[in-house]
Amino acid sequence: MVENELQALLERLANRDQLRSEATLQSDIRQLLLTGGLNLAEHDLDVALETQVGDRRRIDVEVGFTVIEVKKDLRSVTVLKAAEKQLAGYVRTRSEQTGQRYVGILTDGTVWRAYHLRDDELAEATRFEVKPSRPDLTSLLAWLEGVLATRKGVRPTPAEIVARLGANSASYALDRAVLGALYAEHRDTPTVQLKRELWSKLLRSALGTQFTDEDELFLEHTLLVNSAEVIAHLVLGLDVTDMQPATLLGGQRFDLAQIYGVVEADFFDWVLEVPGGDSFVRTMARRLARFDWANVEHDVLKVLYESVIGTETRKRLGEYYTPDWLADQVIADAVTDPLNQRVLDPSCGSGTFLFHAVRRHLAAADEAGVPLAAALSGLTNHVLGIDLHPVAVALARVTYLLAIGRDRLVDERRGPISVPIYLGDSMQWSQRVDLFTEGYLLISAGTGSQILEDELRFPDHLLADAGRFDRLISELASLASKKRAPGTVPALTALFKRLAIAEEDQPAIKDSFGVLCRLQDEDRDHIWSYYIRNLVRPIWLSRLENRVDVIVGNPPWLSYRHMPRDMQDVFRKMSEDRGLWHGKSVATHQDLSGLFVARTIQQYLKIDGSFAFVLPNAALDRGYFSGFRSGKYSDGSHQLTVAFTGSWDLRRIRPHFFPRGGAVVFGRRTDNAPHVLPVQTIRWTGTLPRGADSWEIASIHLKREQSSLVTSEDVAEGSSPYADRFTNGATVFPRILFFVEAQPAGPLGLGAGRRPVRSTRSSTEKPPWKNLPTREGVVESEFIRPMLLGENVLPYRLLPAREAVLPVEGNKLLTGGNSRLDFYPGVADWWQRSEQLWNEHRTSERLTLSERLDFRRGLSDQIPATPLRVVYSKAGMHVAAALVDNPNAIIENTLYWGTVTSREEGLYLCAILNNPALTQLVRPLMAYGKDERHIDKQVWKLPIPLFEGTNPIHQRLADLGGKEADLVAQLELNEKGNFVVLRRRAREALAAGSHSNEVASIIAELLGG
């Protein structure tokens, strides 16, 4: 059927107002399914009408594992409920008859609802509504295909992954709904509880306070890891629709194929332990089998992860993966001899860098004529990854297989493979020195039925061949778990012969195997093989003789303020020891990335080995990275120096792919004097179109050129004498506790000096504060102060101030037990309730509400205020500055303020601050996010001189500032409008005025611009 006929069919289906029978609707729906490009014929799936299910009941339409109930009009609640009950019977019966999970669709041609069984009742998972005025055929067919899962051979491009498996797809909605129902019903099962707790503990260590232990995240991670494990089988071309779920999530087929370290027991196989879990895995496997996983050109599992885990969640967790094109180029630059250099990514994430390192190694092997078995053996000894995130590790292992490719994996000449990606702590916050003793790897397994402690011992030289050691551990664990008489220990002769274990090593392995068998008999064999294979490897790699030639990657950008308290303490100590701690006001801005680089170089990189890391752009030029740029990280007991060789400045690429500007730094470890990061850099510019995932496409749109960095050290702190005069405003947070708006007083009034108020609300509020009810009260008028925020300031002009309840009397802050507060019952009641709410709902915050309000004397330094102040915005690409002549106004911390002695001095400063010439001069010193932002006090690093009324240049600037202020004052503005738009209008008016160029010329002369 041609597209026009299909469109007409859909229009007919969506028209509820026309006279039609259910039989006609059924026939039209069958026609749509058969001719809509859903590949039903390729699956040998009939679209049957009126199929019998017993008890003389008939299913309207049945296709595959989906039953469709059709009604003429489902707008009536009564009709809808009756139809859902009828459909539930069909879905329940078919599921019982086949042992497969069935989906039910209920439709009247306009609204299509997909259901799954939950507690023996239907639960809606996803729906699609056809708009009769504009029927969208393509979207409906995509939704139906997601429910039916009938396509074959879909190319797993990033766009297809997002469309067919992402959070907005019907496939995801159904699988997520079923998984959620399984967990809700069985969450109290002991094994499920245990695995949830282990998951939470590990992620808390990896992600700090940014991690929130939520059911939603645990379920999303479960779905992602289970999906990755199914995809691993599909990479090999295995028919997952005919495999047992336990086999899919247990990895037995990989063991048979001698491919080790891809799928193993983990936190997320809890689905196999609950009723209904098997059918969930089967259905999920059927959906994933739609794709052709044989040939993949990108780290597509990164795309799957980002399409399932929402943007806000990833932002909170600090999870941002490197674009494929950038990882490709970093590997190309850093790995110059792929066949001979051992490469490690110590924070491998989903495996983006590993993907390109694997491809580069295999391409070099092909060019050199290396036989396949030798090439793959060499690969797994030369490209390695570590990550502390269990989901990342599961995805990266499959990404490694995707990079090798199906053709190589199924080739009979291949030989054994062990994927060298490990779940471990690359930082080694608490370095274990007890695992290696007198030539043995020694692991305590606790005390069981024996009087003595159980120990697992392995000759440590066996770890040199990672693949063989991993196979040894895997096969020992497998043998120990097989059925046998209690207390018996199987012989290991065949295993020793197969793995060529030397005779002198065999006794220790036999003893350890006996311990594993006893642990199994005592039901204590839960983590040991997992522990041995994963957590030991980072420690082994850190030994001098095992270090690698190249380290690459994108380390975690976990901010100091988001670390747990114990991690903060260790982070600060380790940073101070290595000269990386900057402290002062920027302490909370420091993140883990610089220390991670220094620490992993110390742990894993040999002398003269090279490194390449993607870092926040602040690493190139911000003051709090000055210790990092020095290249000297010795901590007293360890001498560590690096020679930086160059950098890439990525902050001008659009759109941004990180929440902050990015950069890449290159260097090598040296035992000579350090070499600081060169000021010369490669600046990348350009705008990337959507879908520019590969370097082949991205390179067309990007330009690279030599440039010079302007670091914070290049400009002395306090170059302007105004630096000490300007300070940040008060931290008035959370706003619901302070900001208010007036309420009617009521017919009886309230008496003089008192005002009824209620808290103002904003769409930008965040939990837990957004969930609090609006507050109301009556407060003494003198405690309701005008409050100026960043959004109140335009160039030369103030918008109407907000109002806030502040316990300020004259020049005193009435908090901290001040008895004067009791004289004012209105504000005392408001403040006491505010303190109560703060104590109930603050999370990691350790300050009291009084301490938070007057953090760094942000409030008390303003009382009593001086008659004239200049304020300017803290954030934004452009400075917006204005004069404040109301001494009662309080300045909030989104502004900086400073006292001026005269109106002329204020206008002089406003003329400088509001001119675009100033922005251009200060821009190299500003922080980068989506654009240059956060002016902060960077502006005073420029040599702006103190105002002198007798200086004709200064006076001329003041005069011009007055004229520009008059120009902005006369603009007709809707002062309730968006302040960003209003600022732009003010800047445009100034730029079009007759004074802007002269001001710019004077600034250039004054500041040497």
Side-chain angles (χ1 to χ4, degrees), residues 95-109:
S95 297
E96 292 170 353
Q97 290 172 343
T98 64
Q100 294 282 350
R101 178 162 66 92
Y102 265 67
V103 174
I105 292 179
L106 186 58
T107 184
D108 58 7

Side-chain angles (χ1 to χ4, degrees), residues 296-313:
V296 175
E297 296 302 322
H298 310 288
D299 173 9
V300 292
L301 295 189
K302 166 185 63 184
V303 178
L304 177 61
Y305 182 91
E306 292 181 329
S307 68
V308 168
I309 305 297
T311 303
E312 287 304 313
T313 300

Side-chain angles (χ1 to χ4, degrees), residues 797-814:
R797 180 169 169 174
L798 297 176
L799 298 176
R802 303 276 292 277
E803 288 189 322
V805 174
L806 296 173
V808 175
E809 182 189 36
N811 62 353
K812 292 183 179 179
L813 188 59
L814 304 184

Side-chain angles (χ1 to χ4, degrees), residues 19 148 190 256 261 325 445 542 633 656 701 750 768 805 826 912 915 992 1006:
L19 293 176
L148 300 172
L256 290 174
W325 62 263
S542 67
Y633 314 131
H656 290 275
H701 303 277
L750 295 170
V805 174
I912 295 173
N915 195 276
L1006 201 64

Side-chain angles (χ1 to χ4, degrees), residues 602 634-639:
Q602 173 191 332
S634 302
D635 63 359
S637 57
H638 299 92
Q639 297 299 312

